Each structure stands twice: as C-alpha cells, then as structure tokens.
C-alpha cells in the first residue's frame, strides 16, 4: 500500500483532530488539503461522489470515508504502535463507537449553546454564520438533537466516567494510547480549543485535562501542505488498489457490479452513487468515474452506512 497519505480536513473539525492525532501517534508523514467547512464542496465531491463529511483520507485513487475506517487503513499503512492493540481490540472499538456518537453529540450540544456559539462565530460575517447553521441543519436530516440542558448533565457524567479511567492509567485502557483515547479526546478538544469559554466544565475533573495533555502530546506527525487540485491530479494519474481476499459477503441480495448508493445512517445524508465492487465483512467499495479525478474507489465501513440499489 502506498504511504502517500492525503488528509482532507479543516482545522476546527473535531473528527479531523482524531485522525491528525492518529497520524501523530504513528509518526506518519501526510499531505494536508484544507476543505471548506460548509457546502458547496466541488473538489470534495469530485473525489467522494457525494459524501461530504470531514475528514476523509486519500491514497492515490482510493478514497476512505469515516474515521473508523480511516483508523483501520492507518493500521495497514503503519502497524506500530497499534490503534487497536490485540488485547483491547474489541473493547477499544466498542468504546470508540460510543465516543464518536453518544459522547460526541452530548459534547457538541453543550459546546454550541449561545455562549459557545458566540465565541466560535465571533470573527465570521453574519452571512457566513447563517450559511454554517443552514448547512449543518441540512446535514442533520431528521436527527433528534439533545436539549442543551440535558446535554450538559450528560456531558458532566461522561467526563466523570472518563476521569475514573484516567485516574487509573496514563491513558484510558493502560500505559499506552489507543483508538479509544483519540475518539474520546476529539469532542473534548473542541470544547477546550474551539469554544474555550465553555471549558469550565472540566474544573470538576482535573484528571481529564491531565489525560488530554498526554493525548495532545502525541502531535500530528509530519504534515506537508497540499491543495485540492493537486490531490485530484494524484487521483487522476493513479489506479485504484487491487481488491484482495473475500470481497463479497452478501447481506442485501445486491450482486457485485450493481449500481448502488451508500448513505450515512445519521449525520450527513448525501448519498454516494457508484458500482459496487466489494462488500466485505467490514466495508463497502464503490467504483465511480469523475471528469476531473478519473476512476476512483470510494470505501465506507458497513457499520453506520446503508447500502441500496440505485433507482
């Protein structure tokens, strides 16, 4: 597998911070493409075909969506140190899934109360603020958002639980970090770094901020600035990596070669359409062709995404 990693992200994206830290933990070199935080995202769509959640990772003509899958890809690129240590593989993944969903949405409902939002948007023109709110409302689809009062109570409880873990070890599951640390860290990072006026919630749990300092010390690896045009050109002159192993586990009655869509089950309902070329035990792969990017393979994890035959 080529190790020319291209991360498409933007600085204040919490899920991007999760992957930046994974790159730092593994001390990987990577190219940084900054994407817009709101639609339209024509350069993003040229590569993904519709998916516009942030971040995604590109390796040549292969596009990997969702941070859970990206972490798996980084394990293949650089196995050590592991994000999923063998003795923690199950519990770390389950914990990370909780942190990326339940913890994340409680934290963000707390973070984006009027006091936090006023800081986040302080330097944005009114039109840009309105565009951000409208964009996120569209991406929410029919998601039920937490009442900020309920979110605050839940966030405090979750911070106490994380503190109990951080008091026992340097990291949540032991002496070394793993994917659980990165997943739990990124929504808390947003509180601390992007809306610091809201960071007084950490006062009651000093073990959490001490743990956060240890996670932050992992760094972001070796970053080189790049741009979207260059990334699209990389895809256009590359061929997707060969698909190996058992590439078809049928759960839908949709054979390989079918035209399908893949859509996130919750946040970010924009579908990606293409030809189904793999449906493995853990992921889907679509082949699609773009006038600028050429033929690419777009990869999604099975968990959290819905596969349907194109109408």
């Amino acid at each position: 597998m080529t190790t020319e990693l291209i991360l498409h992200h933007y600085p204040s994206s919490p899920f991007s911070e999760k992957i930046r830290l994974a790159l730092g933990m593994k001390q990987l070199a990577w190219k940084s493409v900054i994407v817009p935080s709101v639609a339209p995202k024509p350069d993003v769509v040229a590569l993904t075909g519709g998916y516009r959640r942030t971040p995604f990772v590109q390796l040549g003509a292969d596009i990997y969506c969702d941070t859970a899958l990206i972490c798996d890809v980084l394990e293949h690129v650089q196995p050590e140190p592991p994000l999923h240590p063998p003795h923690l593989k199950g519990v770390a993944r389950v914990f990370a899934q909780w942190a990326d969903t339940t913890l994340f949405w409680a934290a963000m409902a707390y973070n984006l109360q009027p006091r936090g939002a006023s800081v986040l948007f302080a330097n944005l023109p009114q039109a840009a603020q309105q565009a951000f709110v409208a964009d996120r409302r569209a991406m929410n689809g029919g998601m039920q958002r937490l009442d900020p009062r309920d979110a605050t109570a839940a966030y405090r409880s979750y911070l106490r639980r994380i503190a109990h873990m951080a008091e026992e070890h340097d990291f949540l599951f032991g002496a070394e970090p793993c994917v659980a640390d990165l997943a739990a860290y990124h929504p808390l990072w947003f509180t601390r770094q992007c809306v610091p006026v809201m960071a007084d919630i950490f006062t009651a749990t000093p073990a959490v901020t001490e743990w956060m300092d240890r996670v932050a010390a992992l760094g972001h690896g070796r970053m080189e600035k790049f741009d979207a045009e260059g990334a699209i050109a990389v895809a256009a002159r590359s061929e997707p990596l060969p698909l190996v192993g058992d590439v078809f586990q049928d759960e839908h009655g949709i054979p390989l070669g079918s035209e399908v869509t893949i859509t996130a089950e919750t946040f970010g309902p924009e579908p990606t359409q293409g030809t189904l070329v793999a449906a493995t035990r853990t992921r889907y792969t679509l082949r699609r062709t773009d006038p600028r990017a050429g033929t690419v393979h777009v990869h999604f994890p099975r968990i959290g995404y819905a596969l349907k035959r194109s109408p």
Side-chain angles (χ1 to χ4, degrees):
M1 179 178 284
T2 176
T3 55
E4 186 177 71
L5 288 157
I6 304 172
L7 178 65
H8 298 254
H9 67 125
Y10 60 87
S12 62
S13 160
F15 278 97
S16 296
E17 181 65 9
K18 174 185 175 183
I19 298 305
R20 292 187 292 254
L21 286 167
L23 293 162
M25 180 175 158
K26 291 179 175 292
Q27 284 298 293
L28 286 165
W30 55 284
K31 292 186 174 181
S32 167
V33 174
I34 301 299
V35 304
S37 60
V38 300
K41 301 185 180 185
D43 294 330
V44 168
V45 172
L47 291 165
T48 68
Y51 180 89
R52 63 180 186 89
R53 284 161 59 169
T54 306
F56 63 94
V57 157
Q58 176 185 354
L59 285 164
D62 285 86
I63 311 301
Y64 299 93
C65 303
D66 195 278
T67 60
L69 176 57
I70 292 169
C71 286
D72 287 339
V73 171
L74 296 183
E75 293 281 63
H76 287 286
V77 171
Q78 174 63 52
E80 298 293 334
L83 292 167
H84 310 101
H87 66 295
L88 295 172
K89 188 175 290 187
V91 69
R93 286 184 186 275
V94 170
F95 185 93
Q97 187 177 6
W98 167 81
D100 283 343
T101 52
T102 304
L103 173 63
F104 175 81
W105 288 115
M108 295 309 286
Y110 167 81
N111 291 332
L112 297 179
Q113 294 177 76
R115 187 162 59 110
S118 65
V119 171
L120 186 65
F121 299 133
N123 298 317
L124 285 180
Q126 186 68 25
Q129 295 181 36
Q130 293 171 348
F132 183 89
V133 171
D135 182 83
R136 292 306 187 267
R137 186 178 295 120
M139 292 187 77
N140 282 345
M143 264 186 76
Q144 183 67 39
R145 300 300 297 271
L146 280 173
D147 181 289
R149 294 164 295 186
D150 296 328
T152 300
Y155 196 18
R156 290 188 193 281
S157 292
Y158 298 151
L159 290 174
R160 288 194 297 270
R161 295 172 190 180
I162 292 169
H164 293 155
M165 301 170 76
E167 288 164 354
E168 295 295 322
H169 314 282
D170 282 350
F171 296 98
L172 297 185
F173 286 101
E176 301 298 331
C178 69
V179 70
D181 294 276
L182 310 188
Y185 175 87
H186 71 86
L188 281 58
W189 165 87
F190 191 93
T191 307
R192 200 181 195 190
Q193 297 297 324
C194 300
V195 288
V197 69
M198 306 299 289
D200 54 359
I201 199 169
F202 297 128
T203 302
T205 52
V208 170
T209 52
E210 293 167 6
W211 161 77
M212 290 179 72
D213 290 341
R214 292 191 287 273
V215 175
L218 297 172
H220 290 164
R222 303 186 304 280
M223 185 269 285
E224 175 187 344
K225 291 182 179 179
F226 204 42
D227 59 36
E229 285 297 331
I232 291 169
V234 167
R237 64 173 179 262
S238 303
E239 294 289 336
L241 294 169
L243 298 166
V244 297
D246 182 4
V247 299
F248 190 50
Q249 178 172 305
D250 184 18
E251 307 287 356
H252 297 79
I254 301 175
L256 297 184
S258 300
E259 291 301 305
V260 299
T261 61
I262 292 179
T263 309
E265 291 175 353
T266 54
F267 185 73
E270 298 83 2
T272 294
Q273 183 167 340
T275 304
L276 184 68
V277 293
T280 73
R281 179 174 52 85
T282 60
R283 71 176 72 172
Y284 301 117
T285 301
L286 301 188
R287 183 179 66 242
R288 53 176 306 277
T289 301
D290 179 84
R292 298 165 63 203
T295 298
V296 298
H297 281 176
V298 188
H299 307 267
F300 298 86
R302 275 190 182 255
I303 292 176
Y305 293 83
L307 172 72
K308 294 183 179 179
R309 195 187 296 268
S310 293

